[in-house]
Amino acid sequence: MDEAIKTLADWLQESRRAVFFGGAGVSTASGIPDFRSVDGLYNQHYAWPPETILSHTFFEEQPAEFYRFYQDKMLCLDAKPNACHTRLAELEAEGRLRSIVTQNIDGLHQAAGSKRVWELHGSVLRNYCQSCGRFHDALYMKEAPGVPRCQNCGGLIKPDVVLYEEGLDSDIINGAITDISRADMLIIGGTSLVVYPAAGLINYYQGDRLVLINKTPTPADKRANLVIHAPIADVFAQV
């Protein structure tokens, strides 16, 4: 693995338009559970599976149960950026990384200092009243008893996250596609690449420096020019 990490470091040193495409595995070293690993949310037991609870229909029909799960499992407000987040921010500041495309909703890339971040699935840090549009921060959502209601009008607040059954924001999608298609290097990290349409965005990369970093194999391993099977925070701590 040492040789693979050296190759990654060399390629990053030569890059000027690298793009990082990341998933839940990027934040596990910060203490945020992923979805599909042995200890992930899909392997825990609730009255409904997580994909049902985190759906638009469930939010509309059973907001109390939605928020009981959401406050308990999705609002990890004490989490701090790890070595992957901080190194990516440094690479952007150095002019080597063009942007980050993330499936995560935790805001840790921005907390680490990254500026150009395409949040495909939104962010738990943004929450808006569905009646009057007033903004509420994540701490308010975490501490609200029961179903969080607007401080202004009492309306139901919805997190600015993309739930199952909802479409992705077209401006964010277009921005991510533009950066990926122009990238001189694409690093895919901490994602199983099974969630669509997000996973399909990597098909817009046409270069010959496709790097894949994940603890377990993914459907894109055979396409990659460099594959590293290791925790991504450990890898970036050495880059």
Side-chain angles (χ1 to χ4, degrees):
M1 190 172 77
D2 290 344
E3 187 63 32
I5 291 176
K6 182 181 183 304
T7 298
L8 172 61
D10 289 344
W11 287 0
L12 280 168
Q13 190 70 22
E14 297 168 2
S15 177
R16 294 297 179 269
R17 298 187 312 279
V19 171
F20 179 83
F21 181 97
V26 173
S27 294
T28 53
S30 297
I32 298 179
D34 66 3
F35 275 74
R36 291 176 172 80
S37 69
V38 173
D39 299 317
L41 293 180
Y42 279 114
N43 290 299
Q44 299 179 27
H45 298 287
Y46 300 91
W48 297 269
E51 66 267 28
T52 297
I53 299 173
L54 297 175
S55 69
H56 180 85
T57 297
F58 196 91
F59 172 78
E60 293 286 339
E61 295 179 351
Q62 301 197 57
E65 287 300 314
F66 171 90
Y67 273 113
R68 191 161 67 89
F69 177 89
Y70 182 80
Q71 290 171 324
D72 185 36
K73 296 299 181 183
M74 307 303 290
L75 292 176
C76 305
L77 304 187
D78 294 330
K80 303 298 182 184
N82 60 55
C84 180
H85 298 108
T86 55
R87 187 66 186 113
L88 288 171
E90 292 168 355
L91 288 166
E92 181 184 27
E94 293 167 8
R96 307 187 190 287
L97 186 78
R98 170 62 172 163
S99 66
I100 293 168
V101 180
T102 181
Q103 299 175 83
N104 296 340
I105 58 176
D106 51 46
L108 290 181
H109 285 296
Q110 292 92 330
S114 292
K115 306 299 183 185
R116 190 175 176 86
V117 182
W118 301 107
E119 295 177 311
L120 298 177
H121 297 149
S123 173
V124 299
L125 304 183
R126 301 186 297 268
N127 307 273
Y128 299 97
C129 173
Q130 293 192 121
S131 298
C132 72
R134 177 171 176 167
F135 169 84
H136 296 75
D137 64 22
L139 184 60
Y140 178 81
M141 302 297 285
K142 181 74 171 180
E143 296 180 345
V147 177
R149 293 285 177 178
C150 178
Q151 294 174 300
N152 184 53
C153 71
L156 179 64
I157 303 171
K158 183 181 183 299
D160 188 18
V161 299
V162 179
L163 302 177
Y164 289 98
E165 304 170 347
E166 296 178 344
L168 304 186
D169 183 281
S170 60
D171 290 338
I172 292 175
I173 286 290
N174 290 336
I177 288 173
T178 297
D179 283 359
I180 290 172
S181 64
R182 296 175 179 174
D184 57 13
M185 177 180 181
L186 178 62
I187 307 169
I188 303 169
T191 173
S192 56
L193 291 176
V194 297
V195 176
Y196 283 83
L201 296 183
I202 68 171
N203 295 326
Y204 289 92
Y205 178 66
Q206 302 300 316
D208 58 3
R209 289 189 170 181
L210 177 61
V211 181
L212 208 150
I213 309 168
N214 201 50
K215 288 196 295 185
T216 58
T218 78
D221 280 18
K222 292 181 179 179
R223 292 174 47 192
N225 305 106
L226 180 65
V227 176
I228 303 175
H229 287 153
I232 192 164
D234 294 350
V235 172
F236 271 91
Q238 301 176 62
V239 173

